[in-house]
Amino acid sequence: MITGMMDKNSNVEKVLAKHKIKEINIKKAIELGIPTSEIHRLINWAKMNNTYYYIKQGRGLNEFLGEIIANELNLKTAHYEPVDYYGDFYIRTPNFREKDKTYHRVSEFTTQEGDKLDYFKEFKTYEQLKQDMLKLYALDIYMMQLDRADVNIQLEKKDDSLRLAPVFDYSAAYMCSHKRYLEYYNYMYSMNIEKMDEVFNKYPELYNYLKQLDNVDFLKLLKQEMEKYKLNFTSTINNFYEESFS
């Protein structure tokens, strides 16, 4: 049984010594469907039971919670699993990339100027992509996400269809209390308190997605998810997220 908080310190090189990928090259990146700009991240990939997983450590509870929130919004998401490897704790997620699609950073289609959603209007899947991006905005605001950088928003393309790839990397969240101020970062749209009315007027769906999230007891769902994996839901965990959700 794994006990305690999720961000227990351990040596990822030691943990992955048996399973990690040795081929850090473009060929392996293409095989996994990873953008070649992300080739350096192959050091965090491992093959276990004939399945490729991305391995990471730190703030694992946020990863579980992000997946739960994404599911509530019917937003495609990476799946996170806790793994106990000889007493060390880490999080793994199976490779979600499909072989008949290509994967891209959003910056390949946009510039820093203006509303970045406007750059995708030429694609026939624009309306679906817009709704996915608005759901992601809502999720990031709700979680006070500070690291939804370009590298953490990937698109999947097949012919002239472009959609948001399964969302991943929820870890850098709940770093501040929204009782004091709103702080979050999403590469696709810069927002602060002064601009929120403007954004909600342009995208009323965004407000509706946030309202939808506000009506869900995510602390209860997180506890259920942890119990499924036999993880301790400690008073420290409960108090931290209670303050974040209050």
Side-chain angles (χ1 to χ4, degrees), residues 69-103:
I69 295 172
N71 286 333
E72 178 65 28
L73 290 169
N74 197 25
L75 187 63
K76 290 192 301 182
T77 174
H79 173 60
Y80 290 90
E81 304 169 353
V83 179
D84 185 354
Y85 189 85
Y86 295 108
D88 280 322
F89 177 84
Y90 58 98
I91 296 288
R92 72 182 186 184
T93 182
N95 188 18
F96 57 76
R97 296 166 181 85
E98 301 175 38
K99 293 187 179 299
D100 63 340
K101 298 176 181 178
T102 57
Y103 292 82

XYZ file of all heavy atoms in Angstrom, residues 69-103:
304
model
N -11.654 16.554 -13.119
C -12.324 17.772 -13.581
C -12.528 17.739 -15.096
O -13.592 18.116 -15.606
C -11.516 19.015 -13.163
C -11.498 19.128 -11.632
C -12.101 20.290 -13.769
C -10.573 20.209 -11.103
N -11.512 17.266 -15.825
C -11.640 17.158 -17.286
C -12.784 16.211 -17.656
O -13.570 16.490 -18.574
C -10.327 16.671 -17.885
N -12.912 15.108 -16.943
C -13.996 14.164 -17.219
C -15.354 14.799 -16.972
O -16.324 14.535 -17.701
C -13.836 12.905 -16.362
C -12.708 12.007 -16.841
O -12.361 11.996 -18.022
N -12.110 11.247 -15.929
N -15.437 15.640 -15.942
C -16.701 16.325 -15.652
C -17.110 17.220 -16.825
O -18.306 17.377 -17.105
C -16.562 17.153 -14.374
C -17.800 17.942 -13.995
C -18.993 17.054 -13.646
O -18.783 15.914 -13.182
O -20.143 17.516 -13.855
N -16.129 17.794 -17.511
C -16.390 18.672 -18.651
C -16.457 17.910 -19.971
O -16.595 18.515 -21.039
C -15.292 19.734 -18.746
C -15.287 20.799 -17.652
C -14.004 21.621 -17.717
C -16.509 21.699 -17.765
N -16.354 16.590 -19.905
C -16.315 15.768 -21.114
C -15.173 16.210 -22.038
O -15.325 16.326 -23.251
C -17.652 15.822 -21.857
C -17.800 14.694 -22.871
O -17.179 13.635 -22.743
N -18.585 14.930 -23.906
N -14.030 16.460 -21.411
C -12.827 16.901 -22.114
C -11.828 15.751 -22.121
O -11.540 15.167 -21.075
C -12.236 18.106 -21.387
C -11.059 18.843 -22.013
C -11.452 19.462 -23.350
C -10.551 19.927 -21.059
N -11.318 15.416 -23.286
C -10.369 14.308 -23.372
C -9.142 14.600 -22.517
O -8.610 15.712 -22.532
C -9.941 14.070 -24.821
C -11.029 13.492 -25.703
C -10.497 12.997 -27.035
C -9.826 14.097 -27.834
N -9.349 13.622 -29.154
N -8.685 13.590 -21.791
C -7.583 13.792 -20.862
C -6.680 12.572 -20.814
O -7.133 11.445 -21.057
C -8.119 14.078 -19.443
O -7.028 14.141 -18.524
C -9.088 13.004 -18.972
N -5.418 12.805 -20.501
C -4.518 11.701 -20.201
C -4.989 11.028 -18.925
O -5.644 11.648 -18.083
C -3.088 12.215 -20.040
N -4.661 9.754 -18.781
C -5.048 9.000 -17.587
C -3.829 8.803 -16.697
O -2.752 8.440 -17.169
C -5.619 7.643 -17.981
C -5.892 6.746 -16.817
N -6.780 7.089 -15.814
C -5.373 5.530 -16.469
C -6.806 6.126 -14.908
N -5.965 5.175 -15.262
N -4.007 9.062 -15.405
C -2.894 8.980 -14.462
C -3.078 7.813 -13.499
O -4.180 7.569 -13.009
C -2.756 10.288 -13.678
C -2.277 11.414 -14.551
C -3.175 12.237 -15.229
C -0.915 11.639 -14.736
C -2.728 13.253 -16.052
C -0.466 12.653 -15.558
C -1.378 13.460 -16.210
O -0.924 14.450 -17.034
N -1.968 7.111 -13.252
C -1.975 5.975 -12.339
C -0.810 6.110 -11.364
O 0.293 6.464 -11.767
C -1.807 4.662 -13.113
C -2.836 4.427 -14.201
C -2.458 3.263 -15.105
O -1.326 2.737 -14.942
O -3.284 2.886 -15.952
N -1.049 5.802 -10.081
C 0.067 5.772 -9.136
C 0.791 4.432 -9.231
O 0.157 3.398 -9.453
C -0.632 5.917 -7.779
C -1.953 5.249 -7.988
C -2.333 5.500 -9.426
N 2.087 4.450 -9.061
C 2.865 3.210 -9.115
C 3.835 3.178 -7.945
O 4.549 4.153 -7.693
C 3.648 3.099 -10.443
C 4.460 1.812 -10.456
C 2.696 3.132 -11.623
N 3.846 2.067 -7.234
C 4.798 1.853 -6.149
C 5.915 0.959 -6.698
O 5.676 -0.197 -7.035
C 4.096 1.172 -4.971
C 5.000 1.030 -3.751
O 6.191 1.365 -3.868
O 4.519 0.586 -2.714
N 7.099 1.510 -6.842
C 8.215 0.775 -7.419
C 9.292 0.619 -6.354
O 10.047 1.540 -6.075
C 8.756 1.519 -8.648
C 9.777 0.751 -9.442
C 9.381 -0.165 -10.413
C 11.132 0.939 -9.220
C 10.321 -0.861 -11.145
C 12.077 0.240 -9.948
C 11.664 -0.660 -10.904
O 12.603 -1.356 -11.624
N 9.325 -0.565 -5.734
C 10.294 -0.849 -4.675
C 10.290 0.241 -3.589
O 11.336 0.687 -3.129
C 11.694 -1.031 -5.259
C 11.818 -2.227 -6.158
C 11.933 -2.080 -7.529
C 11.796 -3.514 -5.626
C 12.026 -3.190 -8.361
C 11.886 -4.624 -6.459
C 11.997 -4.461 -7.815
O 12.083 -5.559 -8.629
N 9.081 0.687 -3.217
C 8.964 1.657 -2.135
C 9.008 3.100 -2.576
O 8.706 3.996 -1.783
N 9.350 3.367 -3.823
C 9.324 4.737 -4.345
C 8.003 4.975 -5.051
O 7.422 4.075 -5.649
C 10.480 4.978 -5.318
C 11.777 5.259 -4.595
O 11.730 5.951 -3.562
O 12.829 4.774 -5.044
N 7.541 6.224 -5.026
C 6.242 6.575 -5.578
C 6.392 7.489 -6.801
O 7.151 8.439 -6.757
C 5.405 7.301 -4.521
C 4.079 7.763 -5.049
C 3.008 6.908 -5.096
C 3.929 9.046 -5.537
C 1.795 7.330 -5.608
C 2.734 9.479 -6.053
C 1.657 8.606 -6.082
N 5.672 7.167 -7.857
C 5.622 8.077 -8.998
C 4.314 7.884 -9.744
O 3.537 6.977 -9.468
C 6.831 7.899 -9.919
C 7.034 6.504 -10.496
C 6.595 6.195 -11.772
C 7.701 5.520 -9.775
C 6.801 4.944 -12.312
C 7.908 4.266 -10.301
C 7.455 3.972 -11.576
O 7.654 2.718 -12.104
N 4.050 8.784 -10.678
C 2.820 8.786 -11.468
C 3.171 8.400 -12.902
O 4.169 8.852 -13.456
C 2.184 10.191 -11.480
C 1.746 10.595 -10.077
C 0.985 10.247 -12.425
C 0.551 9.860 -9.562
N 2.343 7.575 -13.503
C 2.562 7.231 -14.905
C 1.272 7.447 -15.693
O 0.172 7.357 -15.153
C 3.031 5.786 -15.047
C 1.968 4.737 -14.780
C 2.527 3.326 -14.906
N 1.467 2.327 -14.796
C 1.672 1.017 -14.793
N 2.913 0.546 -14.863
N 0.653 0.175 -14.714
N 1.430 7.749 -16.968
C 0.278 7.893 -17.854
C 0.580 7.193 -19.171
O 1.653 7.396 -19.754
C -0.068 9.378 -18.099
O -1.217 9.460 -18.930
C 1.067 10.142 -18.730
N -0.300 6.321 -19.642
C -0.042 5.635 -20.903
C -0.074 6.598 -22.081
O -0.767 7.618 -22.053
C -1.186 4.609 -20.992
C -2.246 5.124 -20.078
C -1.554 5.894 -19.000
N 0.701 6.273 -23.093
C 0.766 7.119 -24.286
C -0.607 7.198 -24.955
O -1.196 6.186 -25.317
C 1.792 6.543 -25.275
C 2.045 7.472 -26.442
O 1.750 8.658 -26.388
N 2.606 6.935 -27.515
N -1.138 8.416 -25.097
C -2.472 8.595 -25.678
C -2.432 8.854 -27.182
O -3.472 8.919 -27.831
C -3.204 9.753 -24.995
C -2.465 11.074 -25.049
C -2.418 11.825 -26.215
C -1.815 11.561 -23.934
C -1.742 13.034 -26.266
C -1.141 12.765 -23.959
C -1.100 13.502 -25.135
N -1.254 8.990 -27.758
C -1.153 9.400 -29.160
C -1.483 8.260 -30.112
O -1.048 7.133 -29.903
C 0.238 9.963 -29.435
C 0.511 11.234 -28.638
C 1.968 11.623 -28.619
N 2.188 12.819 -27.826
C 2.352 12.817 -26.500
N 2.332 11.671 -25.837
N 2.534 13.938 -25.840
N -2.264 8.595 -31.155
C -2.709 7.603 -32.128
C -1.821 7.667 -33.367
O -1.421 8.744 -33.814
C -4.168 7.856 -32.493
C -5.100 7.795 -31.286
C -6.530 8.163 -31.626
O -6.983 7.776 -32.732
O -7.193 8.829 -30.814
N -1.546 6.502 -33.941
C -0.575 6.416 -35.034
C -1.042 7.089 -36.315
O -0.233 7.489 -37.139
C -0.240 4.945 -35.310
C 0.525 4.267 -34.173
C 0.974 2.882 -34.560
C 1.752 2.206 -33.433
N 2.977 2.960 -33.087
N -2.355 7.231 -36.525
C -2.848 7.838 -37.768
C -3.031 9.352 -37.641
O -3.605 9.988 -38.530
C -4.157 7.188 -38.201
C -5.285 7.389 -37.191
O -4.981 7.678 -36.013
O -6.453 7.254 -37.589
N -2.537 9.940 -36.535
C -2.641 11.379 -36.334
C -1.263 11.956 -36.056
O -0.360 11.247 -35.617
C -3.585 11.698 -35.168
C -5.013 11.225 -35.392
C -5.880 11.481 -34.174
C -7.299 10.979 -34.397
N -8.149 11.166 -33.196
N -1.112 13.256 -36.328
C 0.124 13.941 -35.959
C -0.181 14.912 -34.825
O -1.313 15.394 -34.687
C 0.725 14.707 -37.153
O -0.245 15.647 -37.658
C 1.123 13.742 -38.262
N 0.859 15.213 -34.031
C 0.665 16.017 -32.837
C 1.543 17.254 -32.884
O 2.706 17.185 -33.292
C 0.927 15.168 -31.590
C -0.138 14.112 -31.447
C -0.066 12.923 -32.164
C -1.252 14.341 -30.654
C -1.083 11.971 -32.080
C -2.265 13.402 -30.553
C -2.181 12.227 -31.271
O -3.194 11.302 -31.202
